[in-house]
């Protein structure tokens, strides 16, 4: 059974701080890693994807991947109240289906 | 604008009734998926399809049925056999199964009345 685990939260950070969201996965064959943001009552929207070990930056967001530790994280710098949402980690192996984690609820306090 | 369109946004079902949720995409994606999300829970895969006229069961297919007669369309029928259908249903597509990111429609919220 392939599993993706995330802390359910809520993770609360003050406005302007760095939010760190973590995800671990069980399948060592996993090749692609995705972070989605889901506002309450809305559908998930893709924030970032990462395929290679290391860091990938896009604006205020940085995804970090460590395949040896089976660990992927998302850092949000200068957190804003509008970042308050549930963040879903998704993992896949080429040719197979995405496996989603349960999500971490982030609350950015003004 | 390319994207995935789900309809209706809200749907109410009476006990014993079958209902069909629509999902259409104009992204030219081969793979399409249906997920169910319950309050405070993650996404659970119901059915997926890689090509036209072919689809596979996901983790929670019982009480659901799908068809894939056109590349653009992947409707989901919630049958009366699904005893607890109240949930948020999400349709998604990707260029290939498991190759690239999945894009989601806006979802259909189904409630049993």
């Amino acid at each position: 059974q392939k599993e993706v685990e995330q802390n359910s939260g809520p993770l609360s950070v003050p406005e302007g701080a760095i939010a760190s969201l973590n995800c671990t996965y069980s399948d060592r064959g996993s090749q692609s890693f995705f972070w989605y943001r889901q506002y309450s009552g809305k559908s998930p929207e893709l924030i970032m994807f990462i395929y290679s070990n290391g860091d990938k930056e896009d604006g205020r967001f940085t995804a970090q991947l460590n395949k040896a530790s089976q660990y992927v994280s998302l850092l949000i710098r200068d957190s804003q109240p509008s970042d308050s949402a549930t963040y879903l980690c998704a993992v896949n192996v080429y040719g197979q289906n995405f496996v989603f984690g349960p999500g971490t609820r982030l609350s950015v306090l003004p | 604008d390319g994207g995935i369109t789900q309809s209706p946004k809200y749907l109410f079902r009476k006990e014993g009734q079958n209902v069909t949720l629509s999902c259409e995409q104009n992204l030219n994606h081969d793979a399409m998926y249906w997920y169910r999300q319950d309050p405070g829970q993650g996404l659970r895969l119901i059915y997926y399809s890689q090509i036209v006229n072919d689809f596979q069961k996901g983790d929670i297919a019982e009480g659901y049925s799908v068809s894939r007669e056109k590349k653009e369309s992947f409707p989901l029928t919630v049958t009366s056999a699904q005893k607890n259908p109240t949930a948020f249903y999400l349709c998604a597509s990707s260029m290939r199964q498991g190759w690239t990111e999945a894009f989601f429609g806006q979802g259909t919220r189904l409630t049993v009345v």
Side-chain angles (χ1 to χ4, degrees), chain A residues 1 31-32 34 36 38 40-46 49 51 88 92-103, chain B residues 9 33 35 37 40-43 45 48 50 88 90 94 96-107 109:
Chain A
Q1 180 77 8
Q31 295 166 300
S32 305
F34 307 88
Y36 288 85
Q38 186 176 25
S40 181
K42 303 296 185 183
S43 62
E45 55 181 333
L46 181 70
F49 58 85
Y51 301 139
L88 302 172
N92 70 16
V93 175
Y94 289 155
Q96 299 183 24
N97 286 313
F98 300 94
V99 180
F100 284 85
Chain B
K9 188 173 181 180
Y33 315 82
Y35 293 92
Q37 188 175 38
Q41 304 297 312
L43 305 179
L45 182 64
Y48 62 98
Q50 301 178 64
F88 189 43
L90 289 159
S94 65
R96 296 282 190 275
Q97 182 192 14
W99 279 32
T100 58
E101 62 271 25
F103 295 94
F104 287 85
Q106 69 269 42
R109 191 165 301 279

Side-chain angles (χ1 to χ4, degrees), chain B residues 69-86:
Chain B
E69 297 176 2
K70 298 186 301 182
K71 186 175 183 178
E72 303 79 17
S73 179
F74 192 41
L76 173 74
T77 296
V78 183
T79 74
S80 56
Q82 172 48 241
K83 297 307 179 188
N84 185 22
T86 295

Side-chain angles (χ1 to χ4, degrees), chain A residues 12-65:
Chain A
S12 295
V13 300
E15 184 174 356
I18 295 176
S20 178
L21 304 164
N22 304 316
C23 172
T24 59
Y25 58 94
S26 63
D27 187 352
R28 284 196 171 273
S30 299
Q31 295 166 300
S32 305
F33 307 86
F34 307 88
W35 282 101
Y36 288 85
R37 177 176 61 198
Q38 186 176 25
Y39 292 112
S40 181
K42 303 296 185 183
S43 62
E45 55 181 333
L46 181 70
I47 299 174
M48 292 189 70
F49 58 85
I50 186 167
Y51 301 139
S52 304
N53 276 330
D55 295 358
K56 179 181 179 182
E57 187 174 318
D58 184 0
R60 296 187 296 113
F61 299 96
T62 298
Q64 300 175 316
L65 174 61

Side-chain angles (χ1 to χ4, degrees), chain B residues 6-68:
Chain B
Q6 288 186 244
S7 62
K9 188 173 181 180
Y10 299 97
L11 186 58
F12 298 90
R13 190 193 96 166
K14 294 181 180 179
E15 294 282 351
Q17 199 176 44
N18 292 357
V19 291
T20 297
L21 284 58
S22 171
C23 178
E24 303 275 334
Q25 55 99 358
N26 60 4
L27 299 168
N28 199 31
H29 284 172
D30 287 322
M32 297 187 74
Y33 315 82
W34 274 105
Y35 293 92
R36 169 178 171 146
Q37 188 175 38
D38 293 284
Q41 304 297 312
L43 305 179
R44 292 188 289 169
L45 182 64
I46 305 173
Y47 268 98
Y48 62 98
S49 169
Q50 301 178 64
I51 57 173
V52 174
N53 293 323
D54 184 62
F55 47 84
Q56 306 296 328
K57 293 182 179 180
D59 300 321
I60 56 165
E62 185 174 351
Y64 300 98
S65 66
V66 294
S67 64
R68 186 89 186 274

